[in-house]
Amino acid sequence: MALLIAGTLVPAWAAPPELLDSVPVNEPVDLSSLDWIAPRFSANATERTKWQALLDWTAEVAQAQTNTLRESFEAKGVDASALPEHCYSDERCFLIRAADDVASRFESWTEFKAAASAAQPYVQSVRQAVEVVSDIHAPRDDATASAALAKELLRRFTNDQLMRNITAELPGGMEGTPQEQAYELYAFALEMDGLRDDARNIAYASDLIRQRGGWPAPPDVSEDSQEHLWALVQHGDQRPDLQHEALLAMEARFAGQDPRPQQYGYLYDRIMLKLTGKQRYGTQVRCVDGERQPQPLDETAPIDELRAKVGLRSMEAYLARFPDCSVAQ
């Protein structure tokens, strides 16, 4: 049995850990206010035990979240046996685990705080860029409903792409090699921003699909708007239930169409690989023994036949697009 407490699904027997109330929720990570992580570095065994209790709590939450999702899929007749144990829709669970991971790379609380202070201005510069994008793509007051929808999808998509690329290098024209420790905190804060955006975007996409009574596609919306909507769903991994609903909506919209859109193939593989451990169209790849290969396939038909049904090139041509595994690593 599980209970819903302040938006968190936890086992009924789990008492909230003492430090939980100090963990921020529904707000960006503030690198100038990280005292809630200090017990992770404490020399006091009692304080470290409190931090461990937080980590134990995340394990309980992840198990409860995962079991609930698996049961939900099972009730719909969908195999979700391979669904990995994860925090999913619980933001604090993600945040605590990410904080522990980044803290593990520092020797002391003093070192950690100094890196956070150094990273703060770069984090702010990215957040300001996100605000600028939002302002640029805000619909005009006199915009039609279709124009406003296109603008909103473009705004969300543009910020989605921005947040997915910000950890490649420090912004703001910083000279020389980025200070590695500052970069760790920069990535921590902005990756959490990205997760929060992903959660909002998949919820928005799901609501839009329901309001439209199915998957929006041309001529009801433009090709670009459909692409932007698909990207929001594709990246909504915290809510595999909503991703799967969107997949079914796409399936219904393009039933009988040959080939189906490529986006359908990518979304199918993203979701089913997560739920069952196998994909159909070979869009998800990995490096094995130094060679680029598709992740496990369901082998319902020869792979290139399946790929052609969603407008994709041969598997060989697709794999050739990726960098050599030695470069990727």
Side-chain angles (χ1 to χ4, degrees):
M1 179 180 176
L3 298 178
L4 188 66
I5 301 175
T8 297
L9 194 67
V10 296
W13 63 85
E18 184 178 339
L19 295 179
L20 187 60
D21 286 343
S22 67
V23 179
V25 65
N26 296 326
E27 61 186 65
V29 171
D30 183 353
L31 292 182
S32 67
S33 182
L34 296 178
D35 286 350
W36 61 275
I37 304 176
R40 168 67 171 71
F41 294 92
S42 179
N44 184 298
T46 301
E47 290 300 301
R48 292 199 307 276
T49 298
K50 291 177 183 178
W51 182 260
Q52 185 58 50
L54 268 186
L55 296 179
D56 293 343
W57 175 85
T58 68
E60 293 170 346
V61 169
Q63 184 180 58
Q65 290 270 345
T66 306
N67 287 343
T68 298
L69 282 168
R70 286 174 181 160
E71 290 166 6
S72 174
F73 279 114
E74 184 179 355
K76 299 173 184 176
V78 178
D79 176 18
S81 56
L83 187 69
E85 196 164 287
H86 216 348
C87 294
Y88 292 107
S89 60
D90 192 277
E91 182 183 330
R92 281 192 299 188
C93 178
F94 270 112
L95 178 58
I96 293 164
R97 289 184 168 189
D100 188 68
D101 179 60
V102 72
S104 69
R105 299 165 206 168
F106 291 81
E107 295 295 329
S108 69
W109 173 238
T110 300
E111 191 179 70
F112 185 81
K113 284 198 300 181
S117 178
Q120 179 77 350
Y122 297 100
V123 170
Q124 288 305 114
S125 71
V126 173
R127 289 175 175 164
Q128 288 166 4
V130 170
E131 291 177 6
V132 169
V133 168
S134 294
D135 289 343
I136 290 172
H137 294 299
R140 293 169 38 177
D141 292 340
D142 60 349
T144 64
S146 60
L149 173 61
K151 275 284 193 179
E152 178 62 10
L153 286 169
L154 177 59
R155 180 190 73 80
R156 289 175 181 268
F157 172 75
T158 304
N159 279 331
D160 169 270
Q161 296 300 295
L162 173 63
M163 296 306 293
R164 285 189 141 65
N165 289 286
I166 44 98
T167 54
E169 59 182 321
L170 285 167
M174 187 178 188
E175 295 181 3
T177 303
Q179 183 184 358
E180 185 176 345
Q181 290 187 325
Y183 179 82
E184 296 284 3
L185 272 296
Y186 164 87
F188 163 62
L190 293 177
E191 284 171 1
M192 288 307 304
D193 283 4
L195 283 173
R196 293 175 68 245
D197 283 347
D198 287 346
R200 287 192 291 258
N201 285 339
I202 185 63
Y204 169 82
S206 181
D207 286 344
L208 176 61
I209 293 166
R210 289 184 185 130
Q211 290 166 12
R212 292 297 183 102
W215 182 265
D220 300 331
V221 297
S222 69
E223 289 281 2
D224 283 345
S225 289
Q226 178 182 225
E227 178 81 13
H228 299 158
L229 175 62
W230 166 79
L232 303 185
V233 174
Q234 184 82 348
H235 296 150
D237 294 315
Q238 293 131 287
R239 293 296 306 271
D241 52 333
L242 299 185
Q243 285 181 313
H244 188 261
E245 288 176 7
L247 177 69
L248 295 180
M250 282 192 87
E251 215 164 70
R253 182 65 185 248
F254 300 112
Q257 180 173 318
D258 189 15
R260 289 177 176 175
Q262 292 182 1
Q263 295 100 320
Y264 172 80
Y266 281 95
L267 184 57
Y268 182 96
D269 281 357
R270 179 99 164 201
I271 296 168
M272 299 312 291
L273 186 62
K274 187 161 40 188
L275 297 183
T276 69
K278 293 184 178 181
Q279 60 176 330
R280 177 160 297 170
Y281 303 105
T283 63
Q284 310 297 300
V285 304
R286 61 184 176 178
C287 289
V288 178
D289 296 329
E291 292 186 2
R292 189 75 61 175
Q293 296 181 10
Q295 295 195 48
L297 301 168
D298 65 16
E299 298 181 340
T300 52
I303 185 60
D304 286 344
E305 282 185 23
L306 292 168
R307 290 177 64 83
K309 291 181 182 297
V310 289
L312 294 171
R313 296 184 299 170
S314 71
M315 194 75 244
E316 182 180 3
Y318 182 65
L319 293 175
R321 294 173 46 198
F322 290 89
D324 184 85
C325 284
S326 61
V327 176
Q329 294 171 347

